[in-house]
Amino acid sequence: MNAPVKKKLKVATTSLAGCFGCHMSFLDIDERLFTLLEHIEFDRSPLTDIKEVHPECDIGIIEGGLCNAENVHVLRDFRKNCKILIAIGACAINGGLPAQRNHLPLSAILEEVYHTSPGLSNGLIPNDPELPLPLNQVHPLHEVVKIDYFIPGCPPSGDAIWKVLTDLLAGREPELGHGLMHYD
Amino acid sequence: MSHTFTLDGKTIPFEDGQTIIQAASKAGVFIPHLCYHPEFKPHGSCKLCTVKVNGRQTASCTMRASAGMVVENNTEELNAERRALTQMLFVEGNHFCPSCETSGNCQLQATAYHLGMMSPHYDHFFPSRPVDASHPEVLLDFNRCILCSLCVRASRDVDGKNVFALSGRGIKTHLIVNARSGNLADTNFTLKDKAAQVCPVGVILVKRNGFAVPIGERRYDNVPIGDSLETATEGR
Amino acid sequence: MTYSLETAEHPERLRRVAIDPVSRVEGHGKVTILLDEHNKVHQVRLHIVEFRGFEKFIQGRPYWEVPVMVQRLCGICPVSHHLAASKAMDIIVGAKKLTPTAEKLRRLMHYGQMLQSHALHFFHLCSPDLLFGFDSDVTRRNIVGVAAEHPEIAKRGVLLRKFGQEVIRITSGKRIHGTGAVPGGMNKSLTIAERDELLKDIYQIVAWSRDAVHLIQKVHIQDPGLYNSFGIFRSNFMSIVGHNGDLDFYHGSLRARDDNGKIIFDGVDYQQYDKYIEEEVKPWTYMKFPFFRSLGKEHGWYKVGPLARIQNCTQISPLCRARAQGVRRLRRRLTDARTARLPLDADDRNAARGGGNQEPAAR
């Protein structure tokens, strides 16, 4: 964090097919958030009400894998607008828990959840045009766009996120040593 | 200079008949590996223990040490290839570490940490591999099998039972249970078998025992693989 | 309780406004609004756009994996899912009663969850609206803006959340998605050092929590007209209540009230929930619509969560009671008096004695 920073770096974040756990872990940097805010500003993020990624965003951080068509659209939009794209967490990196549906036919899952499961007063599979179409399988981000950095973990700890961000801000290649590197 | 070779510039003594990895382990040098286990005949299949001997790549678990060899192990080139092999193992199976009870005790995971694997890099296969929950004491979760064949060797060579086998060829190779039904319950496998103790990943699991050890106290939580050679070579 | 704005008659003739994604909330959503040429609203929908299928893919997995899997439904309230699944697995393995230590540790874990999630909601997500106004500049209307203009408030929010997260880490091994609860108990003990670490800060945390209540009271006084009407709607309520109807975050039976505070059902074993609750599926969202069977889908829907818990219970700890009085008085004004429950209100003098250094709601 020693590099002289004139302009604050714009950081956009989003959660695709994730659980917001990685965003929560970002907040687990605790008071260091205020130090970070001396160097960055948030663009589109669940923490702000900015809905569009700035066309010259410096860093995009994406949590969650791709489970529907809109996830893919948002991912491409981030890639187009962010100079550096970071995949954060198991879901973004390998599909994570939601990818455990991948060995099942999507129609069978929807059928059971919305049609035949006990306790339903009616049965129908949601199909409104406002709902993005689910993909047949959940995919990690790097299968669709180029990802510059990965922060593994479910979620990665606040310390791991802090390490990667401070490495990047200082112009170092991010590295996670033992204790910070986790897949669980 | 007889009965020594150099490993990354360090002089390593060996005894006749020892492989490179055996001599290195004895001297306290870690060579990453998955299918090698000191108690079993080497299999030479995972290729993670590949080193360069006099400039040529070879599996250190099958290559006998000989006097004057110049061996390279911990180089960026070899580690990059080991990392790529590890990434392939991750995408070929279903390795969902977040909900796996072996997480923190898993040799594949610890090795991937050791090699600095930040992503799987390749496209995932997401294969369909149903679990075998037929046995009263042991669950088989084939999703995590890396085909190291340690259970095959343990059951055949130590237990004398031949419960497991690798079937199929090439990318279709998979672990099977030697029973007409294909179910573990229809074998004479027991929890006391050596084969029940050697799985380096989370395939052969004692039922009703998952997550007994809290995060922070698991095998590799505090000591990374390779820092303690006993840890590195004894499976789970 | 009407659905007049759910579906417009001729959506094709209307103009669509979308809030996409909905931000500063806990979850994935999109709001669409359809208006006519006079800007009259004809249809409003909250679409939950994410579908993951946990219900299906946990099937066939070993049962002891389930509490670790399903907490990944939500990284904000993972402990609640972790504990709900663990309690279900307790039943599966026949663990009718946990050891007292295990139950206390699970409760403690959930208190950590309650604290961190409420701190997040109040400070990180809502406070920008409360401090700057709903229509304030979009670049300022977030926790960064709060940190710039009210650094002390932002810092307390961060530290309150941190303490809750530390409680979770100490009881489950990790701040998010730990493994603490296992079928029939816990895998982790609380060491004396860990206990003392938490005790060291607890009274500061209680004091800051009270300050947060004062803050919301101050905000309310500044614009009672707005806050007395914003987001107010009458509804049924449901929550668990503990022994004797006490507020409880971990175990109890189901109690439901109608919008007049009248009991619909009480003392219901949650394992029998499906006898009382049914769910409807609608085509425009992946979220289902639960309702009380006895009242039907038009009238049987209900609120759950913090407000429902407070409205529903018979008593809470004296310290919380003193705070809740204020909220209930406010609610009473808002909802025509009858929604507020009487047992608490009859207890004003006790409430006045509350406060001081009592322990928080821990039991």
Side-chain angles (χ1 to χ4, degrees):
Chain A
M1 308 278 292
N2 303 324
V5 182
K6 280 190 206 123
K7 198 172 122 278
K8 286 188 180 180
L9 293 177
K10 271 190 195 305
V11 176
T13 75
T14 190
S15 174
L16 303 178
C19 71
F20 285 93
C22 295
H23 276 81
M24 292 305 102
S25 216
F26 191 166
L27 294 179
D28 280 341
I29 64 175
D30 300 330
E31 309 93 298
R32 289 172 289 182
L33 176 66
F34 304 119
T35 316
L36 190 64
L37 289 176
E38 293 165 17
H39 302 267
I40 68 149
E41 60 188 10
F42 284 107
D43 189 59
R44 174 186 164 157
S45 164
L47 294 171
T48 72
D49 293 340
I50 302 169
K51 310 289 182 190
E52 305 287 338
V53 185
H54 191 278
E56 289 192 353
C57 188
D58 295 289
I59 299 175
I61 301 177
I62 302 190
E63 156 188 352
L66 305 163
C67 85
N68 64 39
E70 195 209 4
N71 294 154
V72 179
H73 174 79
V74 173
L75 172 64
R76 292 204 164 117
D77 187 50
F78 264 69
R79 179 68 277 183
K80 199 176 82 196
N81 294 310
C82 300
K83 290 171 199 151
I84 292 174
L85 203 56
I86 303 176
I88 184 172
C91 301
I93 292 173
N94 63 25
L97 258 284
Q100 291 212 22
R101 77 160 160 91
N102 282 0
H103 68 280
L104 300 165
L106 175 63
S107 55
I109 307 173
L110 289 166
E111 188 67 26
E112 177 163 332
V113 172
Y114 293 107
H115 223 153
T116 59
S117 73
L120 292 179
S121 67
N122 63 337
L124 61 91
I125 293 173
N127 61 355
D128 193 271
E130 291 286 358
L131 295 178
L133 283 175
L135 304 179
N136 279 337
Q137 289 197 317
V138 177
H139 291 277
L141 308 185
H142 72 269
E143 293 185 9
V144 174
V145 301
K146 182 185 185 317
I147 299 295
D148 300 299
Y149 298 103
F150 299 84
I151 316 180
C154 187
S157 64
D159 289 341
I161 297 168
W162 174 254
K163 176 73 165 60
V164 169
L165 291 180
T166 49
D167 279 350
L168 280 176
L169 288 173
R172 289 187 298 265
E173 194 63 16
E175 205 176 303
L176 297 177
H178 181 76
L180 292 182
M181 176 91 130
H182 275 291
Y183 300 158
D184 63 358
Chain B
M1 274 298 286
S2 68
H3 283 81
T4 64
F5 63 94
T6 66
L7 183 59
D8 291 337
K10 190 178 165 190
T11 302
I12 308 285
F14 69 93
E15 290 160 24
D16 283 333
Q18 264 185 334
T19 57
I20 295 172
I21 202 169
Q22 284 171 334
S25 303
K26 192 144 189 231
V29 177
F30 175 65
I31 301 177
H33 59 271
L34 292 169
C35 74
Y36 166 74
H37 190 294
E39 293 173 39
F40 302 107
K41 225 165 80 181
H43 196 241
S45 61
C46 79
K47 302 296 177 196
L48 240 72
C49 73
T50 297
V51 293
K52 268 192 179 175
V53 176
N54 300 332
R56 293 184 63 174
Q57 292 195 347
T58 187
S60 64
C61 70
T62 53
M63 183 70 155
R64 295 244 161 93
S66 64
M69 271 179 168
V70 178
V71 183
E72 293 166 61
N73 167 39
N74 192 15
T75 67
E76 188 35 53
E77 180 196 346
L78 285 168
N79 283 333
E81 294 193 10
R82 290 167 178 156
R83 195 157 49 238
L85 289 170
T86 310
Q87 286 168 322
M88 289 178 201
L89 289 174
F90 268 88
V91 300
E92 285 168 16
N94 293 312
H95 297 278
F96 296 112
C97 297
S99 61
C100 175
E101 63 190 85
T102 312
S103 187
N105 300 314
C106 171
Q107 206 178 320
L108 175 68
Q109 185 191 61
T111 302
Y113 293 169
H114 173 81
L115 295 169
M117 188 187 109
M118 301 290 271
S119 83
H121 183 79
Y122 303 103
D123 285 7
H124 280 77
F125 288 28
F126 296 122
S128 180
R129 297 187 188 165
V131 301
D132 177 350
S134 63
H135 194 279
E137 293 174 311
V138 173
L139 173 80
L140 297 180
D141 189 339
F142 295 105
N143 287 294
R144 303 152 181 167
C145 184
I146 56 170
L147 307 175
C148 69
S149 87
L150 279 171
C151 58
V152 178
R153 284 175 275 165
S155 186
R156 184 189 62 209
D157 302 341
V158 180
D159 305 327
K161 291 186 177 176
N162 226 9
V163 167
F164 298 102
L166 294 182
S167 175
R169 290 190 158 271
I171 198 66
K172 296 205 168 116
T173 311
H174 61 287
L175 183 66
I176 57 161
V177 170
N178 282 327
R180 195 176 289 274
S181 63
N183 290 333
L184 192 63
D186 296 326
T187 68
N188 54 354
F189 184 80
T190 74
L191 252 188
K192 295 202 177 75
D193 286 6
K194 184 70 179 172
Q197 326 294 326
V198 293
C199 182
V201 290
V203 179
I204 304 176
L205 302 165
V206 181
K207 281 187 172 178
R208 301 173 287 276
N209 198 34
F211 307 100
V213 179
I215 293 168
E217 295 172 27
R218 302 169 306 182
R219 178 168 212 141
Y220 299 113
D221 280 341
N222 298 310
V223 185
I225 197 166
D227 276 20
S228 146
L229 275 175
E230 296 85 343
T231 306
T233 52
E234 282 177 9
R236 266 186 310 132
Chain C
M1 294 193 194
T2 66
Y3 290 82
S4 61
L5 286 179
E6 187 192 322
T7 303
E9 272 180 35
H10 296 286
E12 67 284 355
R13 296 182 202 161
L14 300 168
R15 185 165 62 92
R16 174 182 176 273
V17 173
I19 304 169
D20 182 17
V22 179
S23 48
R24 291 192 290 125
V25 292
E26 305 188 359
H28 294 94
K30 164 169 86 173
V31 171
T32 58
I33 305 165
L34 300 184
L35 312 106
D36 64 17
E37 65 269 31
H38 308 296
N39 282 336
K40 183 169 182 288
V41 174
H42 289 257
Q43 176 182 309
V44 187
R45 289 172 172 179
L46 166 63
H47 310 272
I48 300 300
V49 294
E50 206 71 54
F51 170 73
R52 290 176 296 173
F54 273 74
E55 304 95 314
K56 180 71 181 164
F57 67 68
I58 61 167
Q59 294 173 25
R61 297 302 311 168
Y63 65 81
W64 52 91
E65 224 175 67
V66 174
V68 183
M69 287 177 88
V70 299
Q71 66 181 332
R72 269 122 179 143
L73 283 163
C74 177
I76 302 171
C77 60
V79 173
S80 308
H81 293 286
H82 181 58
L83 291 178
S86 299
K87 290 182 71 179
M89 294 309 130
D90 292 345
I91 296 166
I92 299 278
V93 301
K96 292 211 172 80
K97 205 160 166 49
L98 303 189
T99 64
T101 311
E103 183 175 325
K104 280 179 191 159
L105 281 173
R106 284 192 185 181
R107 285 180 175 277
L108 180 61
M109 196 197 299
H110 210 204
Y111 299 151
Q113 168 64 44
M114 288 289 165
L115 176 60
Q116 67 88 2
S117 182
H118 282 77
L120 173 86
H121 173 75
F122 184 67
F123 290 98
H124 297 70
L125 305 179
C126 283
S127 74
D129 290 331
L130 302 172
L131 295 168
F132 305 138
F134 299 113
D135 293 323
S136 56
D137 179 23
V138 69
T139 56
R140 172 177 176 236
R141 199 172 61 212
N142 51 55
I143 184 67
V144 181
V146 177
E149 291 178 49
H150 303 276
E152 211 34 53
I153 291 177
K155 193 176 157 205
R156 284 194 181 180
V158 165
L159 293 178
L160 277 168
R161 182 180 173 279
K162 177 185 183 180
F163 186 83
Q165 291 289 77
E166 281 297 286
V167 172
I168 297 172
R169 181 185 64 76
I170 283 173
T171 46
S172 80
K174 250 168 101 200
R175 279 185 170 197
I176 299 162
H177 300 330
T179 63
V182 291
M186 289 284 293
N187 71 7
K188 197 177 176 305
S189 60
L190 183 72
T191 65
I192 289 172
E194 286 168 337
R195 183 200 66 185
D196 290 347
E197 191 184 327
L198 295 178
L199 275 178
K200 180 165 60 73
D201 294 328
I202 186 63
Y203 292 111
Q204 181 64 71
I205 294 299
V206 172
W208 283 345
S209 303
R210 296 168 71 181
D211 289 349
V213 178
H214 292 145
L215 176 64
I216 190 75
Q217 285 168 336
K218 230 162 73 187
V219 168
H220 178 262
I221 285 165
Q222 282 166 11
D223 197 350
L226 170 67
Y227 294 109
N228 285 356
S229 61
F230 184 80
I232 295 299
F233 57 95
R234 299 176 65 93
S235 76
N236 305 310
F237 296 96
M238 190 181 75
S239 69
I240 60 163
V241 291
H243 190 58
N244 292 331
D246 292 358
L247 180 71
D248 203 300
F249 294 148
Y250 176 74
H251 188 73
S253 55
L254 296 174
R255 176 184 281 179
R257 294 179 190 275
D258 69 11
D259 63 335
N260 290 320
K262 206 175 119 233
I263 297 276
I264 300 172
F265 55 77
D266 197 6
V268 168
D269 178 356
Y270 51 70
Q271 290 185 62
Q272 306 293 318
Y273 78 93
D274 59 336
K275 296 201 167 59
Y276 294 82
I277 295 161
E278 207 170 347
E279 291 181 306
E280 190 191 5
V281 185
K282 297 192 180 188
W284 45 268
T285 177
Y286 285 118
M287 191 173 69
K288 292 174 187 169
F289 294 78
F291 59 89
F292 299 138
R293 283 179 191 271
S294 60
L295 296 180
K297 62 185 179 188
E298 293 287 322
H299 302 286
W301 57 277
Y302 53 93
K303 280 192 195 113
V304 294
L307 185 59
R309 280 195 292 268
I310 297 285
Q311 295 282 21
N312 234 344
C313 70
T314 308
Q315 49 185 342
I316 51 183
S317 79
L319 172 58
C320 297
R321 191 184 307 162
R323 303 299 141 212
Q325 287 294 335
V327 178
R328 285 192 179 216
R329 266 195 290 275
L330 170 61
R331 278 281 146 190
R332 193 161 57 232
R333 281 208 297 280
L334 309 183
T335 53
D336 193 18
R338 286 166 298 178
T339 320
R341 282 274 303 116
L342 287 176
L344 275 186
D345 302 306
D347 232 11
D348 267 6
R349 265 193 298 162
N350 282 344
R353 284 204 304 272
N357 273 343
Q358 276 99 339
E359 303 230 351
R363 256 186 291 275

